[in-house]
Amino acid sequence: MTVQQQSRFSTEDQESVNKLLQDYFNSAIEDEGNDQPFVASGTQAERDRIWTAWTDFCGLTQRKAGEINNLPEICRNVDPCRFWVDFAREPEAPRVQAPVQAFIHHYIQNSIKERIVLGPEERIMVRTLNSAYSIIEVWRRLVASADFKVLRGERRALRRSEKYQEADRLFLRWEQEGEKRDGPAYLIVQVYKTRLDIFPFSLLDPLSLYCILTQLPWRLYFLWILVKLSPNLNLEINSLYVKVEATAADIIVILLALYQRAEDIPATPLTRMSFHAAILLGCTGGFRPGSLMDTLCRQYTLSIIRNPDDRTQRRFIVTPNIGRNKIKKTQMTCKYRKQKNVAYSVPLVPFPILCLVSLVITRALDMGALDTPYQSVHDLLHRPNLGRTDRLDIPWKEEFLDKPLFPLRYSQFLELWTRCLLVIGCRKPIRPYALRVGAGARMDESLSSALRNYIMSHSGAIFEHDYQTGVVRPNLASLAFGPKTVSRDETLFNELRNMTLTRDEGAPISVSEEKIAKFQKRNDITELRAMIHASTNKSEKNRLNKQIKHTIDTCIKLQLDADRQAYFKEADQLRLRGLEPEPAPGARGAGRAAPVAALLSGSGLQNDGESLAVGVSVSEQYIDAQLLHLSSIAPSVPRGVPGTAAASKSQQKSCCFICSRGFSNRSCFTRHFRDAHLVDGTFDNPFACPVCKRAGAAEVVVHDPAQWCNHLEHTHGLTHTPRVNPGVNPRDYASNSGLTCLLCEAPMTSTRGWRRQRVHPPSRQAQKGRHVRCGG
C-alpha cells in the first residue's frame, strides 16, 4: 500500500505566497538589495564632500543668456545630475569626458591651504594634492557618489517601466578584481590610444606600468591622469613612501625604549602597556592596527597546558582571538562566516619584553578579572592543579568579558609609535604599516601562501604587489656567484633588513626653551592674542586660544625636524672624518617605569636557553614589576614636545586603586567610587591595599570605606582619595534617585527629601561658595 506523502504547503498558504511574491518583486524593482552601498562613515563623508565640490563646479559652467561659445550644450551648462546619465551611456565621447577632466584639473588647482612655516613669512599657501594616485581616489569617490545619488534613481524608474536592458546600462562603477579593471568609470582615464613603440615608459613607475600592460593585452592606453595631467600640473606619479619592514630586532629596540626612556615618551602606565601589547600582536600576526584597538577580555583565553617535553611541568599560553577588519558587508557570506577572527596561541617565554602572556596575566591580576581569585602572581603561576587533564582554561568573570583588557585608541597608538621612533633616533618617519610588512615577510619565508593570506586577510596578488620592501631582502649576489657566500653573509643581510639600522640616539628629541620663547613673539601669535583681548565672546576666545596652541605646537614640530636633520647631516660628516659627534642634551630615563626598565636591563634575562623553571621565575619578577608600574599614575611630560605641557596640580589624574581605572579629575573618580565600589560589596570582606602590596611596603588591611579613604589620603595623596562621607552607609548609594548632597555626599532617597531642609553649618557652605540644603 502506497502512503501518500503529505505536501509541505497547503492551499491556505496561497494568499501569503502571493504577498511574498509581490513584496520581492517590488524590492527587485526598487533595487534596494543590490544598489545599497556599504561604506564606512568616514568614506561616506569624503564622498559627500567631493560631490559638493562637483555641484559647485557645475554652477561655474552656467552661461549668461546671449553669451556665445563653441562648446557643446553639455559642456556649456553642466547639470550635476543629468550629466552622469549621458556619461554612463557614452563614456568615451569627448563631450562627456571634457567636464570631468576639467573638474579634476580645477579641483587640483584649488586644493590650496594655508600652512605654518618657520621663516619670516610665517604662513604660506601650498597645494595639498600632489600625487596622481590621490587624484585617482578623488575620481573613484566621485563616481561612487554619482552612481548612488543619480543613477540609482534612474535605474529604479526604468525598471518600473520594464526597461530592464536600458537600466542595466546605467551602472557607473570602478570595477576592480585583482589586476582587471573595467567599467565606464575607468574609461575616463583611458582617452588616448597609442602604439607600443611610442609609449613613454619613463613617465611611469614599474608597478603602474605592469598594471597597464596586463589589464588590456590587445591594446595599450595612455592613462590620462598619469600621463597627460601629471606632467602639466607637476603631480608625483611615483610612490612618496618607501616601504620598510619591522624586524624582530626593530621591535626589541622600540619596546626597550618604551620603558627605559619612559620620561621622554609620556603616557600613562596602562596606555604604555596597551601599546606594548598592540605592538606584539601586530608584529606576530600582521594584524591591521584598527583590529588591535580596545581588545576585550573575551578575546584572550588564558590556559595552562601540560608540558609535552616534561609532563611533570606546566606551560602557560594565551590564545588571542583578533577580529578582521576591512571586510565589506557584501562579502560576509558563508565563505567568511567562520573566518571573521584569527586565533593563535602564544606561550609564556623567558624573554619578558616579547612575552604577551605576561602582559595578559598582569592586566588580569590588576583588574581582578579572573573568575578564580588569586592573591599574587606566584599564587596564579603555582596554585592551579591539572590533575588528570592536559589543559585547563582560566575563565574571566562574567562582568569583565566585554571590558577592554588593553584599552587603546588609534590616536594614542600613533602618537606613541611616532614618539618611540623619535626617541630611538630614526632619521625618517616610519608608518606602523611596517609591522604588517615585516610580519608578512616572515610568514612568506616559513608558511604556505594560503595560510599567510588567511592570517593577513588578503589575496596573494595583493601581497605580491603591496608587501614588498623598497630594497630586495635576499642576497642576490650569492645566487649569482654560488652558495659559499650565503652562510658568511647571512647575518649581514639579516641586519640590513632592520629599519632602525641608521638610527642615532644622540639626535635631539625636544626644542629648547629659548626657541619656544621666540615662537611666542611671532606676528601671527601676537595678532591672535590681540583678538582675544578685544573679544568678549567666551567661545571665540577658546577658539583663538586653540589656534595659538596649534600654531606653537606646529612650530615646535617643524623646528624639531629641522634640528634633527641638521644634526644627522653634521654627525655623518664628522663620522666620515673619524670623529664622534656630541649627543644632544635632554635625554631622560625610565621615571615611573624604572621597575620594568631595571628588570629588562638585566643581562641574564635575555638568555633564551634558560630552563623552564628559571623562565617562570623571570616571568614572575617581570609581572610583579609591571604591576608595580601600573600602580603609578601620572606620566612625566617633557618640555618641547608638541601637544604636551607640565601637569599642574589641578590637571593631575586620579586613579582608583581598587580596579586600576584612571580618571581625568577627582570628581569623576568620586562618582566612580560611589557608584561602583560602595555598592558592589567591595568592602564586605577585608582586603589588603594592592598598591602597597606591589611596592613591597607593609601590608595594610582595609575593613571599611572610612579606613580605606584615610589610608589613601595619608599614604597615596588626596588626588587618589574619593570625596565621600565615610559615615554614610554604602548601601544607601544604591537608591533610585541618584541624588546626593553637594557638601556631605549624603544620598537622597527621593526628591522629596529636599523639602526637609537640613541646612549645613555656615562654615561648610562657605567652602562651596553657595547656600546648599539637602534632606536626610
Side-chain angles (χ1 to χ4, degrees), residues 37-48 141 326 328-329:
F38 296 94
V39 295
S41 57
T43 303
Q44 187 59 50
E46 183 67 13
R47 289 181 179 181
D48 292 341
R141 290 176 177 177
K326 296 188 71 174
K328 295 181 179 179
K329 293 182 180 179

Side-chain angles (χ1 to χ4, degrees), residues 151-327:
L151 298 184
R152 188 165 181 255
E154 294 290 331
R155 289 193 294 268
R156 288 179 179 177
L158 290 172
R159 287 192 177 97
R160 290 192 191 100
S161 303
E162 299 186 359
K163 299 179 179 180
Y164 302 112
Q165 276 192 332
E166 191 172 351
D168 291 340
R169 293 180 56 196
L170 296 184
F171 276 98
L172 189 60
R173 292 176 181 172
W174 185 295
E175 301 166 5
Q176 181 172 344
E177 181 180 357
E179 287 304 322
K180 179 183 177 182
R181 294 183 175 93
D182 201 359
Y186 192 66
L187 291 176
I188 185 58
V189 294
Q190 298 178 341
V191 179
Y192 299 96
K193 186 166 57 176
T194 184
R195 300 192 315 274
L196 184 62
D197 56 350
I198 61 172
F199 191 89
F201 295 98
S202 60
L203 293 179
L204 297 178
D205 61 278
L207 179 58
S208 299
L209 184 58
Y210 173 77
C211 295
I212 297 170
L213 291 173
T214 56
Q215 68 184 357
L216 291 172
W218 53 276
R219 60 178 179 172
L220 191 62
Y221 284 97
F222 273 123
L223 298 183
W224 174 75
I225 291 178
L226 292 175
V227 176
K228 187 171 183 180
L229 187 64
S230 297
N232 291 343
L233 297 180
N234 295 322
L235 297 177
E236 183 61 51
I237 59 176
N238 294 316
S239 176
L240 300 177
Y241 173 71
V242 178
K243 293 181 181 178
V244 295
E245 62 174 315
T247 63
D250 296 325
I251 300 303
I252 293 172
V253 169
I254 291 173
L255 293 179
L256 286 176
L258 182 67
Y259 295 99
Q260 295 174 351
R261 298 285 299 277
E263 288 190 317
D264 292 323
I265 306 173
T268 63
L270 181 53
T271 301
R272 194 180 304 276
M273 178 179 288
S274 299
F275 175 76
H276 186 174
I279 291 292
L280 294 181
L281 290 169
C283 71
T284 53
F287 304 109
R288 298 180 179 93
S291 62
L292 303 178
M293 302 299 106
D294 284 337
T295 50
L296 307 177
C297 290
R298 67 165 63 251
Q299 294 182 249
Y300 298 86
T301 302
L302 179 61
S303 307
I304 307 171
I305 307 293
R306 195 181 301 278
N307 187 7
D309 299 325
D310 183 357
R311 298 187 65 80
T312 63
Q313 295 182 340
R314 302 167 302 171
R315 300 289 302 273
F316 281 82
I317 67 167
V318 162
T319 304
N321 197 330
I322 307 300
R324 300 176 186 270
N325 60 357
K326 296 188 71 174
I327 296 180

Side-chain angles (χ1 to χ4, degrees), residues 573-621:
Q573 293 175 350
L574 290 174
R575 291 189 176 104
L576 289 173
R577 296 200 297 266
L579 304 175
E580 180 62 23
E582 190 72 21
R588 303 198 293 174
R592 291 180 173 86
V596 180
L599 192 67
L600 295 176
S601 300
S603 58
L605 299 182
Q606 300 184 12
N607 180 13
D608 56 2
E610 295 169 327
S611 66
L612 183 60
V614 175
V616 172
S617 176
V618 168
S619 299
E620 188 173 336
Q621 298 176 43

Side-chain angles (χ1 to χ4, degrees), residues 497-553:
R497 294 171 62 171
N498 297 340
M499 68 180 187
T500 59
L501 189 62
T502 60
R503 67 189 181 93
D504 184 351
E505 292 187 10
I509 60 172
S510 60
V511 178
S512 65
E513 295 287 348
E514 293 78 9
K515 292 181 179 179
I516 295 177
K518 289 182 179 180
F519 298 149
Q520 301 284 354
K521 300 177 181 179
R522 286 169 54 105
N523 294 330
D524 51 0
I525 298 293
T526 304
E527 292 176 2
L528 289 172
R529 288 206 172 96
M531 294 170 65
I532 293 174
H533 182 74
S535 177
T536 58
N537 189 309
K538 185 177 180 179
S539 60
E540 179 67 13
K541 287 185 176 183
N542 290 336
R543 186 184 65 82
L544 294 173
N545 278 319
K546 289 180 181 179
Q547 284 190 23
I548 292 176
K549 183 180 182 303
H550 170 71
T551 302
I552 294 176
D553 287 348

Side-chain angles (χ1 to χ4, degrees), residues 652-663:
Q652 289 180 1
K653 294 185 177 181
S654 298
C655 179
C656 177
F657 291 158
I658 297 176
C659 63
S660 300
R661 283 189 57 186
F663 299 90

